Amino acid sequence: MKMMKQCAMLAVFGALAAVTCTAQAQSAGQYVVQYYDTAVQSPVGTVTDPRLSSPTWSYLDSRVVAKTKSLETQYGFQATHMMSETIKGFTAYLTATQYTLLKANPNVSLIEADRTTQASGVQLSVATPPTSPQIVPWTIPYLNAHISRLVAGDGTEPISSLGSKYMFVLDTGVAPLSDLVTPYSYNILPDTVTGDCHGHGTQVAGIIGARDNTSGLVGIASSASIMSVRVLGCNGTGTMGNLIKGIDLATRKNPGRSVVNLSMTLSSPETMSAILSNTMNAASAKGLVFSTGAEHVAGGCSALSQAVWSSGGVVAGAVDSTGVEPAFASAGQCQHTWVPGANVLTFSRTGAIATVSGMGYATAHASAAIGLLLIANPNLTTSLQIRQHISYASFPNGKMSKAGWPISVLSVASMVLK
């Protein structure tokens, strides 16, 4: 069935919440375009395009490429990204005239103005890493990750022996540190940067999966396979279009059921993106589980938090070592579990020990816990089942959130028992 060209009602936290939609300004700018599925179903012949030589383009469905190339020729624009594994569509810079023509095109379901994404969290300090013994961050015992069946901090790497799922880190990239397992990395940005020229993605990866050995520090899901997809630039910013493309690529590369870490914020957070939600829902149906930090706006949850929730993903709140919400946590009811996010130890992009704080680092702890859950419980088949297990393994700590709700902290050992 063709999607209506209007904002739909989305189920958020078990209740229907109307999506606030603003009229698209018909002005030049970057846009995200989604086709009707029926518009790209007819078989096509061989499609050639120099962009298809890139590994971030080569996987694309030839029907989407052919349709987009046809519109490029017809209207005179050039797509910056194309997507085919989740939504069928593209991103492009459009003039006001091109926008108007595409909006009226019978193949086009939705057009949305692109938005800015921003890495979430800050680095507070760095220190030289010890050669031995390795550091076991306070977050490990706080989450009971040291007494679970997949023990973190005992100098062994049980995840490697069990066969891990991918932990997709959509961020600024991940530096090639020996203490991180990064078998693959992709850069969807229009530059030649390898690794991490900002640092945020490496910090997130260290929290998730730093190896359990005799040096450096250990992550919650030690030695997890980190799949880096670079969607944020050297200044820590990107676009929603980059994010959607990154999710599309991750969906293609997903080996079965994996985690997607979204340690970022989205501009205009009060306005839901139907295209982003459609992308996440399609990716979730193909085995990806999303994780992000709770972000609140007047009257409810941010667009990114809502999109993750509607896909069945995990929206986490943050606590410090005393079990209370830190100053950077906004008041609201979007989260259903709380994990550490303040004064957390991880790696900097140079391999030093960094102290970091922010919702993005709470996201990393939640993602690592989801990864452990997937390994210990391979029969979990939906994102909703996984979120329910995370909620069941979260217990009141006797403190209250800023919104007046009991804070329930996740216990890894409760879902990954010995």
Side-chain angles (χ1 to χ4, degrees):
M1 177 183 294
K2 290 186 176 182
M3 184 183 303
M4 295 295 293
K5 290 188 178 181
Q6 61 185 21
C7 291
M9 301 290 286
L10 294 178
V12 181
F13 301 99
L16 287 177
V19 177
T20 302
C21 291
T22 57
Q24 296 283 6
Q26 295 184 15
S27 59
Q30 191 74 17
Y31 287 89
V32 186
V33 179
Q34 180 178 352
Y35 296 124
Y36 290 113
D37 285 345
T38 54
V40 288
Q41 290 182 347
S42 299
V44 297
T46 301
V47 179
T48 60
D49 189 296
R51 292 171 291 187
L52 297 177
S53 62
S54 167
T56 62
W57 284 71
S58 60
Y59 73 92
L60 291 166
D61 188 319
S62 60
R63 295 169 296 182
V64 172
V65 178
K67 177 63 67 178
T68 305
K69 284 174 63 68
S70 174
L71 293 178
E72 286 177 327
T73 300
Q74 183 178 358
Y75 298 138
F77 66 88
Q78 184 171 47
T80 50
H81 297 304
M82 295 185 199
M83 292 75 68
S84 63
E85 291 295 310
T86 51
I87 64 164
K88 311 293 191 292
F90 63 91
T91 66
Y93 181 89
L94 303 175
T95 65
T97 299
Q98 290 165 341
Y99 168 87
T100 301
L101 292 171
L102 280 168
K103 189 172 180 62
N105 189 287
N107 297 297
V108 172
S109 168
L110 293 167
I111 303 183
E112 295 182 8
D114 210 348
R115 307 192 212 173
T116 301
T117 51
Q118 173 74 52
S120 176
V122 296
Q123 179 173 288
L124 303 177
S125 64
V126 293
T128 302
T131 55
S132 183
Q134 73 173 348
I135 296 172
V136 178
W138 68 267
T139 58
I140 300 287
Y142 191 86
L143 294 176
N144 292 325
H146 64 310
I147 59 173
S148 72
R149 179 163 61 87
L150 306 177
V151 179
D154 66 349
T156 64
E157 297 187 319
I159 292 181
S160 294
S161 64
L162 289 174
S164 65
K165 308 291 186 183
Y166 283 138
M167 308 290 289
F168 288 96
V169 175
L170 275 58
D171 214 287
T172 61
V174 175
L177 304 181
S178 60
D179 239 341
L180 297 175
V181 181
T182 53
Y184 303 101
S185 62
Y186 296 91
N187 178 16
I188 69 160
L189 303 183
D191 58 34
T192 58
V193 171
T194 59
D196 182 2
C197 56
H198 179 273
H200 188 266
T202 304
Q203 295 161 2
V204 167
I207 292 169
I208 292 173
R211 303 185 71 152
D212 198 351
N213 47 31
T214 60
S215 63
L217 54 77
V218 61
I220 299 293
S222 57
S223 74
S225 293
I226 304 293
M227 178 79 84
S228 171
V229 182
R230 185 168 174 264
V231 300
L232 301 175
C234 297
N235 62 354
T237 65
T239 66
M240 183 178 71
N242 292 345
L243 172 58
I244 289 171
K245 173 63 177 181
I247 293 171
D248 197 73
L249 179 63
T251 304
R252 175 68 174 192
K253 302 299 180 181
N254 177 30
R257 182 157 291 280
S258 300
V259 186
V260 179
N261 185 92
L262 302 179
S263 293
M264 64 184 71
T265 59
L266 180 67
S267 64
S268 300
E270 71 284 350
T271 305
M272 189 68 176
S273 166
I275 297 180
L276 179 59
S277 186
N278 293 341
T279 301
M280 289 190 181
N281 290 341
S284 176
K286 292 186 175 183
L288 292 180
V289 185
F290 292 94
S291 172
T292 197
E295 182 186 18
H296 303 94
V297 294
C301 306
S302 72
L304 183 58
S305 294
Q306 287 195 34
V308 168
W309 183 270
S310 67
S311 75
V314 172
V315 180
V319 293
D320 61 20
S321 59
T322 68
V324 301
E325 291 184 325
F328 61 74
S330 56
Q333 302 172 12
C334 299
Q335 61 272 63
H336 60 103
T337 188
W338 279 258
V339 291
N343 296 309
V344 173
L345 295 180
T346 185
F347 286 116
S348 73
R349 66 188 180 97
T350 64
I353 302 299
T355 302
V356 297
S357 285
M359 291 306 304
Y361 306 118
T363 303
H365 285 89
S367 294
I370 297 169
L372 293 175
L373 178 61
L374 288 174
I375 295 166
N377 297 274
N379 294 327
L380 296 178
T381 58
T382 69
S383 294
L384 185 57
Q385 288 176 328
I386 293 163
R387 183 167 73 199
Q388 289 172 336
H389 274 70
I390 295 290
S391 295
Y392 296 154
S394 301
F395 302 95
N397 69 351
K399 309 292 177 63
M400 302 299 289
S401 71
K402 294 177 182 178
W405 285 66
I407 293 176
S408 294
V409 175
L410 178 62
S411 171
V412 171
S414 296
M415 61 182 188
V416 189
L417 295 174
K418 284 189 175 181

